[in-house]
Amino acid sequence: MSDIEKDCIFCGIIRGERPAEIVYRDDTVTAFKDKHPHAPVHLLIVPRRHIRSINDITENDGDIISAMVLKARDLAKEFGISRSGYRLTFNVERGAGQVIFYLHLHLMGGWYKDGD
Ligand code: 5GP
């Protein structure tokens, strides 16, 4: 394991060494609740492999990005915010507000629940 992975908060969550409310996990992606939510529903979807940011993905990572977006769509439905609406955000590097350098997709919504 590299030093970066050893010290990485999200690596620790994926390895089960740091507490987190995990809502989904498979061989490709893990999703968990944001510790300091900016929305009533605020989930983070991360790949299994450590990738720093969108700047570091390659043409071979298309399946990972696709799996992250499809899982976000499914979780939006599961959390009852699919039709009312939600935001999907990648913050890319410090100037955009990225503070955890492990690729993650923010799923935020729940200001209105489906059916409202
Ligand atoms: P960024 O600003 O890097 O795009 O987003 C990082 C997100 O990770 C923030 O929304 C922050 O609240 C969340 N976060 C930081 N540390 C932890 C942690 O230890 N556990 C969880 N569940 N979320 C965290």
Side-chain angles (χ1 to χ4, degrees), residues 42-96:
H42 189 170
L43 305 178
L44 301 170
I45 297 113
V46 305
R48 189 186 181 93
R49 178 162 59 84
H50 186 111
I51 301 171
R52 177 185 165 95
S53 83
I54 283 287
N55 282 342
D56 300 284
I57 60 170
T58 71
E59 279 65 22
N60 296 327
D61 294 324
D63 287 355
I64 293 172
I65 302 303
S66 165
M68 291 170 74
V69 173
L70 289 171
K71 187 40 65 181
R73 177 204 61 185
D74 291 350
L75 287 168
K77 193 165 187 190
E78 192 180 318
F79 280 76
I81 59 170
S82 187
R83 281 187 296 131
S84 58
Y86 54 93
R87 192 179 300 158
L88 294 181
T89 305
F90 286 108
N91 292 328
V92 185
E93 298 298 332
R94 289 183 211 280

Side-chain angles (χ1 to χ4, degrees), residues 9-10 32-36 91 97-100 104 106:
I9 291 174
F10 287 1
F32 50 90
K33 293 189 180 179
D34 195 292
K35 195 177 178 179
H36 306 292
N91 292 328
Q98 186 176 7
V99 294
I100 304 282
H104 53 281
H106 292 261

Side-chain angles (χ1 to χ4, degrees), residues 19-32:
E21 262 192 79
I22 292 178
V23 297
Y24 182 80
R25 181 200 290 275
D26 66 19
D27 287 345
T28 312
V29 298
T30 299
F32 50 90

